[in-house]
Amino acid sequence: MSTIKEIAQQAGVSVATVSRILNYDPTLKVAEQTRQRVFDEAKKQNYIKRKIKTKNNYNPIRIGIVQWYSIEKELNDPFYLSIRIGAESYLNQNNIEMIRSFRGDPDFLSKLSMLDGLICIGKFSPQEISEFRKLTDKVIFVDLFMPKIFVNTIVMDFRTAVLEGLEYLASLGHTRIGFLGGIEHTSDGEIYFEQRYHYYQEFCRQKGWDNSRYVRRDQFSVESGYAMMLDLIGAHQVPTALFCASDAVAMGALRALHENNYRVPEDVSILGFNNNQNTAYTNPPLTTIYAPARQMGELAAQFITQFAAKEKVYPMQIMLPCSLILRQSCTQPRSKKE
């Protein structure tokens, strides 16, 4: 007995499209020749329609999720973990078959076969993007900046977020604002364009500030934030405020400052990025920028499910807003209080 998957292969359409055609879905918009091709193939293969148990609300599509991190690295990065959890939560709630793969796996590409759609989380090289598009033409990338829109992407509005955070620090009277962040590479060794650092530089240029001596970039981790802050302290280049490109970096910087008898925020104000679950419980509670990680994952799953049922998808970019969360790690510089 033939299956929907076999019909989809021969007809050159997705499993979801075959299912909806054979179930006479009135909301499906496909070319009449495509509809007829599916019916002809089903007749040719003597397809017998099977009843599906409605109480399970089974959705006969297969979605892949590929994470650019290894499992081990993902556990130390709540941002990318939250994106994946958001995507998987939506797929599970809608009873959609899901295949998960991590780039750290030796066979991560071979796992992703017979897909109706693919969610790619993180930063990927042009070669990897090309490989993913060979697997399926229904692909959406999450947190991948692309200067030209030729694939579907879901990203954050980094520009507004960074400028809002820096304007807040400037409104308190800070001009010596430093930057602590990371440098990321794609699999081909190319340095990934880091938007937060780019907009920090843009802001300083517009203000006429040369704060380059207060900049350190290494990795997006607590350990790196700690080491970068110690380097600033050792070089006697401690600014009055710090924009940290992740909360992990900010928490490492907080520890280094405390250990060296700097008071936060009296001596140094600190602003983080992401709003992970620990930021409300640091000492002091961390002012940060909320990044909608889980929502990005949920939207990716929602859109890829819709894409799977379409014959053709035009590339688009979906940009989500971030928001500034004010807590107790920022205040006016001492020079403004005296």
Side-chain angles (χ1 to χ4, degrees):
M1 183 185 298
S2 65
T3 65
I4 286 179
K5 187 177 292 186
E6 292 168 343
I7 294 171
Q9 286 179 318
Q10 294 301 316
V13 296
S14 70
V15 171
T17 298
V18 172
S19 176
R20 293 176 70 183
I21 289 174
L22 296 181
N23 283 285
Y24 298 92
D25 184 346
T27 66
L28 178 64
K29 295 181 180 179
V30 295
E32 190 56 39
Q33 55 265 38
T34 301
R35 194 182 300 271
Q36 190 58 50
R37 190 165 70 248
V38 169
F39 281 124
D40 290 345
E41 192 62 38
K43 183 177 180 180
K44 177 182 175 182
Q45 296 191 31
N46 296 314
Y47 173 75
I48 299 175
K49 185 176 176 182
R50 290 178 291 179
K51 292 184 178 181
I52 297 173
K53 296 180 180 180
T54 56
K55 75 173 186 176
N56 290 331
N57 194 28
Y58 174 67
N59 196 329
I61 64 174
R62 177 183 169 100
I63 301 298
I65 297 178
V66 59
Q67 174 70 276
W68 80 304
Y69 277 167
S70 64
I71 296 176
E72 295 77 14
K73 194 170 182 180
E74 186 199 55
L75 290 173
N76 294 317
D77 194 321
F79 176 73
Y80 285 107
L81 177 61
S82 295
I83 292 176
R84 181 171 66 81
I85 288 174
E88 293 186 359
S89 175
Y90 180 91
L91 296 175
N92 285 329
Q93 288 171 11
N94 289 275
N95 295 312
I96 297 171
E97 184 182 359
M98 173 184 61
I99 304 298
R100 182 193 304 126
S101 183
F102 294 85
R103 193 165 67 178
D105 299 342
D107 58 343
F108 87 100
L109 269 179
S110 62
K111 291 181 181 178
L112 303 169
S113 60
M114 299 300 295
L115 299 177
D116 296 293
L118 178 62
I119 299 170
C120 303
I121 302 171
K123 283 83 171 182
F124 298 96
S125 69
Q127 177 62 34
E128 287 174 319
I129 293 171
S130 177
E131 291 294 331
F132 295 145
R133 296 177 75 190
K134 290 177 184 176
L135 295 171
T136 173
D137 61 345
K138 311 296 170 54
V139 187
I140 191 162
F141 292 87
V142 187
D143 195 44
L144 177 66
F145 169 76
M146 311 207 78
K148 180 179 179 180
I149 300 173
F150 69 95
V151 294
N152 300 293
T153 59
I154 297 180
V155 295
M156 292 179 287
D157 184 1
F158 276 116
R159 185 177 190 277
T160 301
V162 172
L163 296 184
E164 183 180 4
L166 292 172
E167 286 288 3
Y168 170 66
L169 293 175
S171 73
L172 294 175
H174 293 282
T175 58
R176 293 190 293 139
I177 303 173
F179 180 93
L180 299 182
I183 299 174
E184 295 175 310
H185 297 81
T186 52
S187 63
D188 56 3
E190 291 296 312
I191 295 177
Y192 181 76
F193 177 67
E194 217 295 277
Q195 294 184 78
R196 282 160 291 197
Y197 180 53
H198 172 77
Y199 293 123
Y200 165 81
Q201 291 179 303
E202 178 183 287
F203 182 85
C204 290
R205 281 196 300 268
Q206 290 175 351
K207 293 289 187 180
W209 300 340
D210 180 9
N211 284 336
S212 56
R213 61 190 179 280
Y214 305 127
V215 172
R216 298 291 187 275
R217 298 177 68 200
D218 186 14
Q219 299 179 34
F220 290 98
S221 67
V222 174
E223 295 80 9
S224 181
Y226 179 77
M228 289 187 288
M229 191 68 247
L230 286 181
D231 190 59
L232 285 174
I233 293 170
H236 304 288
Q237 294 174 336
V238 178
T240 63
L242 276 168
F243 184 101
C244 297
S246 76
D247 290 335
V249 168
M251 287 189 278
L254 272 172
R255 178 186 162 195
L257 286 166
H258 287 320
E259 290 181 357
N260 287 272
N261 300 315
Y262 284 88
R263 297 171 299 165
V264 177
E266 292 84 358
D267 298 325
V268 183
S269 291
I270 294 189
L271 189 152
F273 202 106
N274 287 346
N275 189 40
N276 70 41
Q277 60 184 357
N278 299 317
T279 54
Y281 306 102
T282 56
N283 181 26
L286 185 66
T287 293
T288 187
I289 295 171
Y290 169 71
R294 186 181 177 104
Q295 290 88 333
M296 292 170 75
E298 290 173 350
L299 272 177
Q302 180 181 338
F303 275 102
I304 205 67
T305 302
Q306 295 173 5
F307 293 164
K310 295 183 179 181
E311 189 168 5
K312 185 174 179 61
V313 176
Y314 292 95
M316 62 181 178
Q317 181 187 81
I318 303 163
M319 183 175 289
L320 301 187
C322 303
S323 54
L324 181 63
I325 298 177
L326 301 180
R327 297 198 181 103
Q328 287 77 55
S329 65
C330 297
T331 189
Q332 291 180 319
R334 283 186 298 176
S335 59
K336 294 291 182 180
K337 296 178 180 179
E338 294 171 352

